[in-house]
Amino acid sequence: MTLSRSGRCAVLAATLLTAAACSTSQVVPGTPAPAVPTPAGLEKFYNQTVQWSGCDTFGGDQSSRFPVGTQCAHVTVPIDYANPDGGTAQIAISRIKATGKKVGSLLFNPGGPGQAGLWMATQGQDSRLSQHFDRVGFDPRGVGASTPQISCLTAQEWDAERAEPPKDGSPAGVAAAEDENKQFAAHCSERTGNDVLEHVGTREVVQDMDVIRAVLGDQKLTYVGYSYGTRLGYSYAERFPERVRAMVLDGAVDPDADPIKESVQQAAGFQKAFDAYATDCAAKPDCPLGPDPAQAVPKFRTLLAPLWDHPAPTKDGRGLSFGDAITGVQNTLYAEDNWNVLSAGLAQLSSGSGDLLLKLADLYNGRRNDGSYDNSQDAFLAIHCVDDPAVKDRQAVDEQDREYRKVAPFLDDGHGGDQAPLELCAFWPVPNTGTPHKVSIAGLPKTVVISTTQDPATPYQAGVDLAQELGAALITNKGTRHTVFLSGGVACVDNAVFDYLIDLKEPPSGLTCG
């Protein structure tokens, strides 16, 4: 599939890592907020009573992360908020109750788009958050345990798609790539239905979030969003500014970046992360890219080049394709904690085996050990295409391809041409419902944006700009990773955010951590 994976947050499994070697707001915490009106025509959704139960039938791949006492439920929402008497969707939510004096509910989203989020209720376990908040996760509409699901390719079709030789920049290669994109879009339309596809975007999810807020009994929303979850956050604030209590946005997606700008920005970010890895690796005697960081890119490209025509052997017989090798490498570049895994994967490849990089690509693509897939990739592509305007200007796409290869030479496969294929969204069967824009929200309470200086997926400057547009407090984290709150081991960040979420105490101006 030809589509940039902007803002997608990937997390390595712990088992793989081990195997691979200030001012204060005037709002007083605990003071009841004035009731907010229920939108007309939506009373039956806002006033519903959810039935909590165990999470055994909800979590699927996430269930192993749930501690004892986690509860799950479904919240009913309209598929089309403009037609509330039409079809409905079931949004899966999870909850771990506060252990002490409760402030309210705290809703989390992990990013994506297309990532299941029930497991996010476990965020902040045994921290001050767990004392004061019912921590709540949710699978956005179409994703995970929420229904109806977004469905495009079967597991067999995904395996075949990933194993295919890449398309080059020749006229025949461009035509073949576009035919593949058309076929994928047709599968999504047939298997999901356009009536669902046109309502899976951010526009609807933020309305679902408001229904979740209401059924949880909160007058105002307290929210933490990572990566694409920052888009959900600022979009919720635009739609319901009077219903925001507190909001933390970590790893900001630039609201004013068009798809081309976003793709190039992210490519440049991954190149910086690769360069940082190469410098760190070169200082070690067994670095698979050698002792000179300046030679890391050509050595990397030489190592992967044979995969274009001949996948590396793997124990399961599938082989490591060129595309999967790139995906596996990028998966490790989301956080410097994973660089040792990247070195192990590249060393293994140089010895003729692609098992570890294939495993990394499987993790990113949601492929399970039994060969089945979650629907994260289907959902990612579908949501991306309904959220953003399609680029159909061939000259713009050609320029994007050239710029992408220029800013990220380690991702340049060496097979570019004068033309590049139109991406998947150019053939999408339903119109987009979002457009790039500057954010301006009157009356929004103080929010917090966290931005990491060498974030490979969402540029640091995007966080700076978003904080300015929202009038938010900015926390700068020095490091090379994608998102940091509750996962980066940076106490400076975590403690400042705890104070903000619990007591509405703003972080010190200019706070820099790491």
Side-chain angles (χ1 to χ4, degrees):
M1 232 55 55
T2 311
L3 179 68
S4 61
R5 298 181 173 183
S6 307
R8 174 78 187 275
C9 182
V11 181
L12 296 180
T15 52
L16 178 63
L17 285 170
T18 55
C22 243
S23 63
T24 304
S25 168
Q26 296 302 307
V27 178
V28 179
T31 301
V36 294
T38 298
L42 298 175
E43 291 86 356
K44 65 181 178 181
F45 302 106
Y46 274 78
N47 297 330
Q48 67 185 291
T49 300
V50 299
Q51 300 298 317
W52 294 99
S53 66
C55 297
D56 293 348
T57 59
F58 284 76
D61 300 327
Q62 308 174 76
S63 60
S64 62
R65 307 190 194 188
F66 296 142
V68 174
T70 307
Q71 298 175 308
C72 286
H74 278 116
V75 174
T76 302
V77 298
I79 289 177
D80 179 1
Y81 277 87
N83 180 25
D85 294 325
T88 59
Q90 299 292 314
I91 309 301
I93 63 174
S94 59
R95 178 178 71 177
I96 300 177
K97 289 187 174 182
T99 60
K101 185 177 180 181
K102 179 180 170 181
V103 173
S105 302
L106 175 56
L107 185 67
F108 289 91
N109 179 270
Q115 289 296 294
L118 289 180
W119 67 273
M120 294 294 283
T122 66
Q123 286 287 85
Q125 187 78 356
D126 301 322
S127 73
R128 284 192 282 154
L129 291 184
S130 66
Q131 298 173 38
H132 297 290
F133 289 99
D134 289 351
R135 289 163 292 139
V136 179
F138 73 108
D139 288 352
R141 57 171 54 206
V143 176
S146 295
T147 58
Q149 277 202 342
I150 298 167
S151 178
C152 299
L153 297 190
T154 66
Q156 293 74 22
E157 288 167 342
W158 267 119
D159 276 350
E161 160 69 23
R162 292 171 56 192
E164 281 185 9
K167 308 297 188 295
D168 60 24
S170 67
V174 169
E178 292 185 355
D179 285 344
E180 187 178 271
N181 287 341
K182 293 174 185 177
Q183 186 177 42
F184 184 93
H187 282 318
C188 292
S189 178
E190 175 186 353
R191 295 169 182 174
T192 304
N194 288 354
D195 58 329
V196 173
L197 282 182
E198 63 184 338
H199 297 292
V200 298
T202 296
R203 180 185 65 181
E204 283 78 15
V205 176
V206 299
Q207 293 177 286
D208 296 343
M209 289 165 58
D210 198 52
V211 174
I212 292 171
R213 171 201 59 77
V215 301
L216 291 173
D218 290 80
Q219 293 296 332
K220 295 194 175 186
L221 179 73
T222 303
Y223 174 76
V224 174
Y226 299 91
S227 194
Y228 164 78
T230 67
R231 181 170 183 164
L232 291 178
Y234 66 69
S235 298
Y236 181 93
E238 287 179 303
R239 179 72 176 79
F240 305 108
E242 76 284 359
R243 300 179 190 178
V244 174
R245 174 189 172 271
M247 184 171 287
V248 177
L249 308 179
D250 187 356
V253 175
D254 184 352
D256 197 37
D258 60 51
I260 288 181
K261 179 182 177 183
E262 189 175 33
S263 171
V264 173
Q265 284 179 337
Q266 190 177 73
F270 274 105
Q271 181 64 52
K272 289 179 180 178
F274 179 86
D275 292 341
Y277 158 73
T279 299
D280 180 79
C281 181
K284 301 173 182 177
D286 56 350
C287 177
L289 297 180
D292 183 1
Q295 295 301 311
V297 167
K299 285 183 176 292
F300 175 79
R301 291 176 58 176
T302 298
L303 180 60
L304 266 63
L307 303 179
W308 188 273
D309 298 309
H310 304 288
T314 57
K315 292 177 181 177
D316 67 0
R318 285 186 292 150
L320 175 71
S321 67
F322 183 90
D324 273 350
I326 291 293
T327 299
V329 168
Q330 284 189 277
N331 197 358
T332 65
L333 292 176
Y334 279 91
E336 55 192 290
D337 301 344
N338 302 326
W339 289 352
N340 62 319
V341 183
L342 175 54
S343 290
L346 295 178
Q348 191 182 75
L349 181 59
S350 66
S351 298
S353 171
D355 285 294
L356 182 52
L357 289 180
L358 182 62
K359 178 62 177 176
L360 291 164
D362 284 346
L363 284 170
Y364 188 93
N365 285 294
R367 189 183 195 272
R368 306 180 180 96
N369 291 333
D370 64 1
S372 64
Y373 284 77
D374 64 28
N375 78 325
S376 59
Q377 283 300 300
D378 289 348
F380 169 77
L381 296 164
I383 296 167
H384 184 92
C385 286
V386 81
D387 263 1
D388 295 317
V391 181
K392 299 182 180 181
D393 182 335
R394 290 191 176 276
Q395 184 175 353
V397 171
D398 295 343
E399 178 60 29
Q400 173 194 16
D401 185 66
R402 288 190 290 269
E403 189 66 17
Y404 189 98
R405 295 172 188 274
K406 177 182 177 181
V407 302
F410 91 104
L411 294 175
D412 183 357
D413 55 35
H415 292 265
D418 293 332
Q419 290 183 314
L422 295 178
E423 293 184 342
L424 173 65
C425 299
F427 308 102
W428 204 241
V430 297
N432 62 292
T433 58
T435 55
H437 62 282
K438 294 285 187 183
V439 174
S440 178
I441 307 172
L444 182 67
K446 180 65 71 170
T447 57
V448 172
V449 173
I450 306 169
S451 201
T452 298
T453 53
Q454 299 297 322
D455 188 322
T458 50
Y460 172 72
Q461 189 61 42
V464 175
D465 294 344
L466 181 62
Q468 184 175 15
E469 291 174 30
L470 293 175
L474 174 67
I475 299 177
T476 293
N477 176 58
K478 291 183 177 180
T480 304
R481 62 176 301 114
H482 181 48
T483 76
V484 63
F485 177 53
L486 294 176
S487 61
V490 182
C492 169
V493 172
D494 292 349
N495 289 330
V497 175
F498 290 162
D499 288 343
Y500 165 71
L501 289 173
I502 297 167
D503 299 319
L504 298 180
K505 179 182 177 182
E506 296 174 19
S509 178
L511 179 61
T512 299
C513 303

